[in-house]
Amino acid sequence: MTKPGVVLGPEDAAVVAAARHFSFPPPRTTGADSCRKLAAQVDLGAAAVMGSWLDSMKASSPRHKLMAAPLAGAADAEHDDWMERHPSALERFDALAAAAKGKQVAVFLDYDGTLSPIVEDPDSAVMTDEMREAVRSVAARFPTAIVSGRCRDKVFGFVKLEELYYAGSHGMDIRGPTAADPNNPGKEARSVLCQPAAEFLPVIEEVYGALVGSVEAAIPGAKVENNKFCLSVHFRCVEEAEWGDLFDRVRAVLKDYPGLRLTQGRKVLEVRPMIKWDKGKALEFLLDALGYAERSDVFPIYIGDDRTDEDAFKVLRSRGQGAGILVSKFPKETTASFSLREPAEVRDFLRRLVDDDANAT
């Protein structure tokens, strides 16, 4: 088997080749030749690559004060300016509800940092019963999906709601509700299944074993998570002095796999197939599957906390529909229109969404 490799860069690079299996397929290119051409475009020296990645890894671990804390001077002005451009979705709920009035609302939710708090052990990122009930209530009124970098089965194990759509592995593994559709009583729910990176499964499994042996076994606190169609190398519990070694080890494993790419999230390095597919593409696929792709009377709401969610925020911006909501306690660059500070505020926003719809009917 030819080993597919990696394109290195803190931001997503151009991507290539996936099988055309679905009504909304990822774009194709010319296969291995395109992989080589893309790899050739990345001509960074080792020091430049290392410096760029370490800077990016540190940037994902901000030490400045949280939005809830007192701010002064320039920081205070920066905070006020950011909040003016990304106001609280709770404080501006009436305006958001007015924009959605008379339209079909659809809700898309990230999991980690959105429905559950970010925790040191990713296997312990459980959601509260109150959050689960809020999501269940939303799904009873609007089509609702979880869009996560996690393995779809693992996210379902956390959420435990059969009436939702689940898009795992950054949208590379999508399935529809497995229970009766609450929006169509008496009818069987459509089962949507989209796996544009299925051909990469053997390679992902191979790289997972190599990363566990090279990274997890050698660096205290490092954890490699197999998300089926992608891999996550968590460094939340790794001492900052070890980040350079961690990155070097990941890079050494991936150098022989030109069909994989390395991106970064919130204290995590992500290994993904080099196809043009992300959470934004997953959002477009789900809107199409729901029959909303060409409709102007649709109001998608996407809530997420990570840089991987920016692809979905950008889709909403380009469509001129709906609202992107960033979950963050500190100002950071985003294309989201609104903000919420933490999962507890996400829960409160979902409750208000349900109450507003109930009062309107």
Side-chain angles (χ1 to χ4, degrees):
M1 179 190 300
T2 301
K3 294 184 177 180
V6 67
V7 169
L8 298 173
E11 301 299 328
D12 287 359
V15 289
V16 299
R20 188 182 295 271
H21 299 306
F22 310 101
S23 60
F24 185 84
R28 296 177 64 92
T29 60
T30 54
D33 288 342
S34 292
C35 283
R36 285 191 288 270
K37 289 178 182 177
L38 285 168
Q41 292 174 5
V42 181
D43 186 22
L44 301 175
V49 170
M50 172 64 76
S52 179
W53 272 94
L54 285 179
D55 288 344
S56 186
M57 291 165 76
K58 291 175 182 177
S60 75
S61 314
R63 293 189 175 87
H64 49 75
K65 297 179 181 178
L66 303 182
M67 288 166 61
L71 298 171
D76 194 14
E78 178 188 0
H79 167 264
D80 291 344
D81 177 66
W82 192 87
M83 288 301 300
E84 184 176 343
R85 290 181 288 113
H86 312 287
S88 166
L90 283 171
E91 293 179 6
R92 299 290 180 88
F93 183 84
D94 290 342
L96 194 153
K101 187 175 181 179
K103 299 178 180 178
Q104 171 63 64
V105 172
V107 179
F108 303 88
L109 304 162
D110 181 30
Y111 183 76
D112 293 278
T114 299
L115 299 183
S116 72
I118 296 293
V119 293
E120 290 188 352
D121 180 4
D123 291 333
S124 301
V126 297
M127 64 193 299
T128 64
D129 291 339
E130 292 81 5
M131 179 67 85
R132 183 174 293 103
E133 186 56 39
V135 176
R136 179 186 286 113
S137 297
V138 165
R141 293 183 174 273
F142 316 111
T144 303
I146 308 297
V147 185
S148 173
R150 299 268 204 149
C151 168
R152 174 171 56 81
D153 291 339
K154 184 171 290 187
V155 175
F156 178 82
F158 283 133
V159 180
K160 299 184 176 73
L161 294 175
E162 295 183 347
E163 57 266 41
L164 306 183
Y165 290 81
Y166 289 88
S169 302
H170 298 284
M172 287 182 283
D173 188 11
I174 303 177
R175 186 171 182 177
T178 53
D181 186 345
N183 298 293
N184 296 282
K187 295 182 179 180
E188 293 255 350
R190 288 188 301 166
S191 181
V192 177
L193 183 61
C194 174
Q195 295 181 331
E199 65 189 87
F200 285 87
L201 283 175
V203 174
I204 291 294
E205 191 67 31
E206 182 179 328
V207 173
Y208 170 67
L211 287 174
V212 168
S214 176
V215 178
E216 195 172 284
I219 300 179
K223 181 176 179 62
V224 182
E225 185 177 13
N226 189 342
N227 293 312
K228 190 172 181 178
F229 292 94
C230 59
L231 304 171
S232 298
V233 182
H234 299 276
F235 59 90
R236 178 167 297 277
C237 297
V238 176
E239 293 291 334
E240 188 172 320
E242 300 290 331
W243 290 359
D245 187 24
L246 180 143
F247 173 72
D248 276 344
R249 288 175 177 272
V250 173
R251 188 183 180 205
V253 169
L254 296 179
K255 65 182 176 63
D256 293 327
Y257 295 87
L260 301 180
R261 60 183 174 132
L262 187 64
T263 63
Q264 188 191 329
R266 196 169 170 182
K267 281 198 171 181
V268 62
L269 299 178
E270 303 275 7
V271 178
R272 305 193 222 174
M274 195 182 293
I275 64 172
K276 195 169 185 178
W277 198 264
D278 51 37
K279 289 184 177 182
K281 292 293 184 184
L283 173 60
E284 291 179 322
F285 174 86
L286 285 165
L287 288 172
D288 184 48
L290 289 163
Y292 299 159
E294 304 301 325
R295 286 175 52 176
S296 60
D297 62 339
V298 176
F299 197 86
I301 298 173
Y302 188 103
I303 308 178
D305 77 308
D306 204 340
R307 68 169 62 189
T308 58
D309 298 305
E310 292 296 326
D311 295 311
F313 296 151
K314 290 173 184 176
V315 166
L316 296 184
R317 286 262 183 185
S318 67
R319 291 171 63 95
Q321 288 180 302
I325 303 175
L326 176 71
V327 184
S328 179
K329 287 186 175 181
F330 52 87
K332 61 182 180 181
E333 185 177 350
T334 180
T335 51
S337 301
F338 298 91
S339 64
L340 293 168
R341 294 188 300 177
E342 58 190 355
E345 290 197 349
V346 174
R347 178 202 62 207
D348 293 344
F349 176 83
L350 296 178
R351 287 173 173 173
R352 288 198 64 178
L353 201 60
V354 170
D355 290 344
D356 182 75
D357 188 67
N359 293 332
T361 55

